[in-house]
Amino acid sequence: MNQFQYTVTDPMGIHARPAGLLVKAAKPLNSTITIAKGDGKSANATKLMAVMGLAIKAGTTVTVTVEGGDEEANAQVMEKFFQENL
């Protein structure tokens, strides 16, 4: 299991467009990717409505967990995605 934390810098938070991009980036990976907020809510990164349901706003720190498959490589892909898009 690999984890990293990321503080969302997008002024609009994770709304429909970036959530859709996140799902597109996560689906081809052979790991289970989970996004969790500090309040205990979490969602599978391949489920658009679940990700949007987290209502992640700018300045929120999330924990991204990557399990199974090629965890290290997939965690790096996700971390790069978050830095470039969120």
Side-chain angles (χ1 to χ4, degrees):
M1 173 175 76
N2 278 336
Q3 284 187 326
F4 65 90
Q5 291 192 326
Y6 182 77
T7 302
V8 177
T9 57
D10 185 313
M12 300 295 290
I14 300 181
H15 55 93
R17 188 170 4 104
L21 293 174
L22 173 60
V23 169
K24 262 180 125 172
K27 275 198 177 185
L29 303 178
N30 64 347
S31 296
T32 300
I33 300 157
T34 307
I35 302 168
K37 287 177 30 176
D39 64 2
K41 291 183 180 178
S42 65
N44 185 318
T46 61
K47 308 291 184 195
L48 179 63
M49 296 309 288
V51 171
M52 289 177 57
L54 292 175
I56 298 169
K57 303 202 180 316
T60 302
T61 300
V62 295
T63 302
V64 180
T65 305
V66 181
E67 297 180 274
D70 190 357
E71 293 174 354
E72 290 218 13
N74 292 338
Q76 288 176 357
V77 168
M78 281 288 95
E79 194 161 9
K80 183 177 179 191
F81 173 86
F82 271 74
Q83 291 168 354
E84 292 176 353
N85 297 286
L86 302 173

